[in-house]
Amino acid sequence: MSRAALRRFSFNQATAQHWPLPDLVAGCAAAGVPGIGLWREPVAEYGLGRTAKLVRDAGLTVTTLCRGGFFTADDWREQNLRAIDEAATLGAPVLVLVSGGLPAGSRDIDGARARVADAIAELAAHADAAGVRLAIEPLHPMFAADRCVIATLGQALDIAERFDPGVVGVVVDAYHVWWDDTVHDQIARAGEWIAAFQVCDWVTPLPEGVLLGRALPGDGCIELRRLREAVDAAGYTGPIEVEVFNAEVWARPGERILAAAIDGYLREVV
């Protein structure tokens, strides 16, 4: 396989959740994968500085860091400032933001969305100074109560467009937006605000808890190539991350997960 075929491919760490970080990095490098998406918790476990050196020495690029956001937490500001600094240390150009759900005891979803915009406004200057782009990720509406009150790409753009697109953008994640009959119009609208593009597939029946219903590209019902063509047409030329949360996938050896992710990417996305 030529490296040119994988030039935009990025393997999100969550797709092989149980693969130790040094093995993940070595496996990606051996497979000719140019980029990886990292998560704050395993990075902290391995060590921020050690992780940055590990990735750099392997010749890989960190495409995103997950995650900031959760603006209903008492320490949201401290946590997000720290996440921005971590992204900068790792050389990650994008910090993915998952906004958080409704505050405890609240039913005011409009107020919760307004809070997201206000919180991002408080963080934008620090992110800009650090060279890290804040990327608002809309999650499927089934997560609106507990994980993310930003449920559509349009809602994410309503906030992002208040800022310079080099500072605040949006994430187009196939799992969360594929169902929306306005998504292609919203992708075209997003244009230079697209900060990240993530792919996986949707399978039914969804598992209990629904969070682990993602599948590798090609194993579900999403028109992934159509979404990729849409983000390309909008002007996005950046990495394409495969990000999967699936217990059956996680049970496989890391090398096999990576190989299957690459195969699905080549067949179904590009």
Side-chain angles (χ1 to χ4, degrees):
M1 180 194 315
S2 71
R3 289 183 178 267
L6 294 178
R7 67 180 181 81
R8 296 178 69 186
F9 178 84
S10 178
F11 188 68
N12 190 284
Q13 183 175 23
T15 306
Q17 190 173 73
H18 305 305
W19 207 6
L21 184 58
D23 297 340
L24 165 70
V25 170
C28 286
V33 169
I36 56 173
L38 295 177
W39 282 68
R40 293 183 67 203
E41 293 83 2
V43 166
E45 183 178 340
Y46 188 74
L48 179 63
R50 289 179 71 204
T51 301
K53 184 177 187 304
L54 179 73
V55 173
R56 183 173 61 249
D57 289 352
L60 301 181
T61 297
V62 180
T63 52
T64 63
L65 179 65
C66 283
R67 62 199 171 190
F70 288 92
F71 298 120
T72 56
D74 290 340
D75 62 346
W76 71 266
R77 192 174 188 279
E78 174 190 342
Q79 284 295 330
N80 279 276
L81 292 175
R82 184 179 301 161
I84 291 167
D85 293 341
E86 291 167 6
T89 299
L90 293 167
V94 173
L95 175 66
V96 175
L97 301 180
V98 175
S99 68
L102 292 169
S106 173
R107 295 178 177 174
D108 181 8
I109 195 166
D110 292 336
R113 288 180 181 139
R115 178 186 177 94
V116 173
D118 292 343
I120 291 172
E122 287 194 42
L123 300 172
H126 187 76
D128 188 22
V132 174
R133 196 174 183 191
L134 303 175
I136 306 166
E137 180 172 13
L139 266 57
H140 190 285
M142 63 186 170
F143 296 114
D146 61 342
R147 285 183 180 271
C148 190
V149 292
I150 305 301
T152 68
L153 187 56
Q155 290 169 359
L157 284 168
D158 287 345
I159 296 173
E161 287 173 344
R162 305 177 193 181
F163 302 91
D164 184 308
V167 179
V168 179
V170 296
V171 180
V172 179
D173 184 323
Y175 186 73
H176 295 302
V177 303
W178 75 275
W179 58 274
D180 185 349
D181 65 345
T182 72
V183 68
H184 292 280
D185 289 339
Q186 294 298 334
I187 289 172
R189 169 191 169 191
E192 60 185 334
W193 276 272
I194 300 175
F197 178 43
Q198 297 178 328
V199 295
C200 66
D201 225 323
W202 179 286
V203 291
T204 54
L206 288 172
E208 183 178 357
V210 305
L211 186 64
L212 306 187
R214 295 171 177 243
L216 290 163
D219 290 346
C221 59
I222 302 177
E223 289 184 294
L224 293 172
R225 186 172 294 107
R226 185 182 175 200
L227 286 172
R228 194 269 303 159
E229 290 170 347
V231 298
D232 285 359
Y236 179 75
T237 59
I240 302 172
E241 283 189 9
V242 174
E243 183 189 58
V244 173
F245 308 145
N246 184 296
E248 187 276 325
V249 171
W250 289 342
R252 305 176 195 172
E255 295 88 345
R256 286 180 52 198
I257 301 172
L258 176 60
I262 291 172
D263 180 65
Y265 168 81
L266 294 174
R267 283 186 296 105
E268 304 293 336
V269 181
V270 300

